[in-house]
Amino acid sequence: MVHKIALVGIGKIAVDQHIPAITNNPDFELSATVSRHASIDGVESYTSLDDMLEKRPDIGIVSLAIPPQPRFDYAVKALRAGRHVMLEKPPGQSLAECYALEKMAQEKGVSLFATWHSRFADSIPAAKDWLKSRTIKRFRITWKEDVRRWHPGQEWIWEPGGLGVFDPGINALSIMTEILPYDVHINAAKLEFPSNRDTPIAAHLAFTNPDNAVMDAVFDWRQEGPQTWDIDIETDQGEMKMSSGGAKLSIDGKSIVEGSDHEYANLYAQMHTLVQNRASDVDLSPMIHVCDAYALGKRITIAEFEF
Ligand code: NAP
């Protein structure tokens, strides 16, 4: 069965990833878009979600590719209308919002998918498998990128609920929570806030873990030149390096996975499976770490930052 889907928010990630992933998947038909300013040639477009939900009862799935701040209200409308919902990451701007959506989907008997695209990177299964039988001694996430390059003009990332540097950092946390064989929690955090912004531009997080390994994460949005999305892990039986956001993996210096970009194709394949089974997939563990970082973080105010 081909599922009719509406894509909400025709911005950067919709154009870069969602539209190609949907149109290349024979299980889906991109039947409508909802966007206040944009549309796609050949696809019916709406400027209001209410309007789309009323006029297109045949569209069973709504995929939300808008920023986190407005996402809850959009998701509630779609769920109330009995549609399956796919959420871009992060799944909301607060944990309570996400729990409320999960409950609502359950009550309505529809699928809710809180997506974590980085978990669908090529090296994740191999990394998870390798770590299963090892003791970790050192685990370091280094996620350093240039906000001016990746988020040009996106003011929402600096506004409350926009997560700041945790917008990319939560991708690393989604990988960490997927590949580690146990749960960890933050014991200390340091967050750097530009004096003119409401969200952090850099963060350092330290984690308590059962191996007593030195485990931390460094996020920074001020990196010019080469960009870094690495996880380096030292164990009792060798060293593993994940790079390019989880696309590549090497063990003891030997390349094991040289992946390419299938993350969004895999996300939509998973959504198809969830809808077929009337199941949901809502893992909030990466979001819990972000909320704990805000709760435990020492706040450091630094110089103003302009795009
Ligand atoms: P974006 O381009 O700034 O925004 C996406 C679209 O959302 C906009 O074009 C806008 O469309 C709509 N929108 C913005 N503010 C809104 C509001 N207050 N109410 C309703 N609609 C609003 O953002 P993006 O980069 O695509 O990111 C969207 C989500 O995808 C974020 O959660 C982000 O973390 C995630 N994501 C982004 C990337 C990336 O590389 N950019 C990668 C992975 C995941 P209209 O104004 O036309 O309605």
Side-chain angles (χ1 to χ4, degrees), residues 208-229:
T208 297
N209 59 90
D211 284 340
N212 286 321
V214 178
M215 192 173 281
D216 65 359
V218 181
F219 302 151
D220 203 316
W221 246 349
R222 296 164 296 195
Q223 174 139 313
E224 293 173 3
Q227 308 285 284
T228 312
W229 298 287

Short mmCIF file of all heavy atoms in Angstrom, two decimals, residues 208-229:
data_model
loop_
_atom_site.label_atom_id
_atom_site.label_comp_id
_atom_site.label_asym_id
_atom_site.label_seq_id
_atom_site.Cartn_x
_atom_site.Cartn_y
_atom_site.Cartn_z
N THR A 208 28.69 10.16 34.01
CA THR A 208 28.91 9.02 34.92
C THR A 208 28.52 7.76 34.16
O THR A 208 27.48 7.74 33.47
CB THR A 208 28.03 9.17 36.18
OG1 THR A 208 28.44 10.34 36.87
CG2 THR A 208 28.14 7.96 37.08
N ASN A 209 29.35 6.71 34.29
CA ASN A 209 29.07 5.48 33.53
C ASN A 209 29.57 4.27 34.31
O ASN A 209 30.49 4.39 35.12
CB ASN A 209 29.73 5.56 32.15
CG ASN A 209 31.23 5.73 32.25
OD1 ASN A 209 31.97 4.75 32.29
ND2 ASN A 209 31.71 6.98 32.38
N PRO A 210 28.99 3.08 34.05
CA PRO A 210 29.35 1.88 34.84
C PRO A 210 30.80 1.43 34.68
O PRO A 210 31.33 0.77 35.57
CB PRO A 210 28.40 0.80 34.30
CG PRO A 210 27.34 1.51 33.57
CD PRO A 210 27.88 2.84 33.13
N ASP A 211 31.46 1.77 33.57
CA ASP A 211 32.87 1.37 33.38
C ASP A 211 33.84 2.32 34.10
O ASP A 211 35.05 2.11 34.05
CB ASP A 211 33.24 1.35 31.88
CG ASP A 211 32.69 0.13 31.16
OD1 ASP A 211 32.37 -0.87 31.85
OD2 ASP A 211 32.57 0.17 29.92
N ASN A 212 33.31 3.36 34.69
CA ASN A 212 34.16 4.42 35.27
C ASN A 212 35.14 4.99 34.24
O ASN A 212 36.26 5.37 34.58
CB ASN A 212 34.93 3.92 36.50
CG ASN A 212 33.99 3.79 37.68
OD1 ASN A 212 33.11 4.63 37.88
ND2 ASN A 212 34.14 2.71 38.45
N ALA A 213 34.73 4.98 33.01
CA ALA A 213 35.56 5.55 31.94
C ALA A 213 35.50 7.08 32.01
O ALA A 213 34.53 7.65 32.51
CB ALA A 213 35.02 5.08 30.59
N VAL A 214 36.53 7.71 31.48
CA VAL A 214 36.45 9.16 31.30
C VAL A 214 35.58 9.36 30.07
O VAL A 214 35.92 8.93 28.96
CB VAL A 214 37.85 9.77 31.07
CG1 VAL A 214 37.73 11.27 30.83
CG2 VAL A 214 38.75 9.46 32.25
N MET A 215 34.40 9.95 30.26
CA MET A 215 33.42 10.03 29.17
C MET A 215 32.94 11.47 29.08
O MET A 215 32.41 12.01 30.06
CB MET A 215 32.27 9.08 29.49
CG MET A 215 31.32 8.84 28.36
SD MET A 215 30.11 7.54 28.75
CE MET A 215 31.02 6.05 28.49
N ASP A 216 33.16 12.10 27.94
CA ASP A 216 32.70 13.49 27.83
C ASP A 216 32.35 13.88 26.40
O ASP A 216 32.58 13.11 25.45
CB ASP A 216 33.71 14.47 28.45
CG ASP A 216 35.04 14.51 27.72
OD1 ASP A 216 35.21 13.76 26.74
OD2 ASP A 216 35.91 15.29 28.13
N ALA A 217 31.75 15.05 26.28
CA ALA A 217 31.35 15.56 24.96
C ALA A 217 31.70 17.03 24.89
O ALA A 217 31.49 17.78 25.84
CB ALA A 217 29.84 15.37 24.78
N VAL A 218 32.27 17.41 23.74
CA VAL A 218 32.61 18.81 23.51
C VAL A 218 31.84 19.26 22.27
O VAL A 218 31.99 18.66 21.19
CB VAL A 218 34.13 18.98 23.24
CG1 VAL A 218 34.46 20.44 23.01
CG2 VAL A 218 34.93 18.41 24.39
N PHE A 219 30.99 20.25 22.44
CA PHE A 219 30.23 20.82 21.31
C PHE A 219 30.67 22.27 21.12
O PHE A 219 30.73 23.02 22.11
CB PHE A 219 28.72 20.83 21.60
CG PHE A 219 28.11 19.48 21.92
CD1 PHE A 219 26.99 19.39 22.76
CD2 PHE A 219 28.62 18.31 21.39
CE1 PHE A 219 26.41 18.18 23.05
CE2 PHE A 219 28.04 17.07 21.67
CZ PHE A 219 26.94 17.01 22.51
N ASP A 220 30.92 22.65 19.89
CA ASP A 220 31.31 24.05 19.65
C ASP A 220 30.84 24.47 18.28
O ASP A 220 31.03 23.74 17.30
CB ASP A 220 32.83 24.20 19.77
CG ASP A 220 33.22 25.64 20.09
OD1 ASP A 220 32.65 26.55 19.47
OD2 ASP A 220 34.08 25.84 20.96
N TRP A 221 30.22 25.64 18.22
CA TRP A 221 29.66 26.15 16.97
C TRP A 221 30.55 27.19 16.30
O TRP A 221 30.14 27.86 15.39
CB TRP A 221 28.29 26.79 17.28
CG TRP A 221 27.15 26.06 16.67
CD1 TRP A 221 27.19 25.06 15.75
CD2 TRP A 221 25.75 26.31 16.91
NE1 TRP A 221 25.93 24.65 15.42
CE2 TRP A 221 25.03 25.41 16.12
CE3 TRP A 221 25.06 27.20 17.74
CZ2 TRP A 221 23.64 25.37 16.10
CZ3 TRP A 221 23.67 27.16 17.72
CH2 TRP A 221 22.97 26.26 16.92
N ARG A 222 31.79 27.34 16.82
CA ARG A 222 32.64 28.41 16.30
C ARG A 222 33.77 27.88 15.43
O ARG A 222 34.71 28.61 15.13
CB ARG A 222 33.23 29.22 17.47
CG ARG A 222 32.17 29.94 18.28
CD ARG A 222 32.69 30.40 19.61
NE ARG A 222 33.06 29.28 20.46
CZ ARG A 222 33.28 29.36 21.78
NH1 ARG A 222 33.18 30.51 22.39
NH2 ARG A 222 33.60 28.29 22.48
N GLN A 223 33.67 26.63 15.01
CA GLN A 223 34.79 26.05 14.27
C GLN A 223 34.73 26.43 12.78
O GLN A 223 33.83 26.02 12.06
CB GLN A 223 34.78 24.53 14.40
CG GLN A 223 35.83 23.87 13.51
CD GLN A 223 36.53 22.73 14.21
OE1 GLN A 223 36.95 22.86 15.35
NE2 GLN A 223 36.64 21.61 13.53
N GLU A 224 35.75 27.15 12.35
CA GLU A 224 35.86 27.45 10.92
C GLU A 224 36.79 26.42 10.30
O GLU A 224 37.39 25.63 11.00
CB GLU A 224 36.37 28.89 10.75
CG GLU A 224 35.33 29.89 11.25
CD GLU A 224 35.85 31.33 11.27
OE1 GLU A 224 36.99 31.56 10.85
OE2 GLU A 224 35.08 32.20 11.73
N GLY A 225 36.91 26.38 8.97
CA GLY A 225 37.78 25.38 8.32
C GLY A 225 37.16 24.01 8.41
O GLY A 225 35.94 23.87 8.41
N PRO A 226 38.02 22.97 8.51
CA PRO A 226 37.47 21.60 8.55
C PRO A 226 36.51 21.43 9.72
O PRO A 226 36.75 21.96 10.80
CB PRO A 226 38.71 20.71 8.72
CG PRO A 226 39.86 21.55 8.32
CD PRO A 226 39.49 22.99 8.58
N GLN A 227 35.44 20.70 9.49
CA GLN A 227 34.40 20.49 10.50
C GLN A 227 34.62 19.11 11.15
O GLN A 227 35.10 18.18 10.50
CB GLN A 227 33.02 20.56 9.85
CG GLN A 227 32.82 21.83 9.03
CD GLN A 227 32.60 23.08 9.88
OE1 GLN A 227 31.54 23.27 10.42
NE2 GLN A 227 33.63 23.93 10.00
N THR A 228 34.25 18.98 12.42
CA THR A 228 34.53 17.74 13.16
C THR A 228 33.26 17.17 13.76
O THR A 228 32.59 17.84 14.55
CB THR A 228 35.54 18.03 14.31
OG1 THR A 228 36.62 18.78 13.79
CG2 THR A 228 36.04 16.74 14.93
N TRP A 229 32.94 15.93 13.36
CA TRP A 229 31.83 15.21 13.99
C TRP A 229 32.35 13.81 14.31
O TRP A 229 32.08 12.85 13.58
CB TRP A 229 30.64 15.11 13.03
CG TRP A 229 30.07 16.45 12.62
CD1 TRP A 229 29.32 17.28 13.41
CD2 TRP A 229 30.18 17.10 11.34
NE1 TRP A 229 28.97 18.41 12.69
CE2 TRP A 229 29.47 18.32 11.43
CE3 TRP A 229 30.80 16.77 10.14
CZ2 TRP A 229 29.37 19.21 10.35
CZ3 TRP A 229 30.70 17.65 9.06
CH2 TRP A 229 29.99 18.86 9.19
#
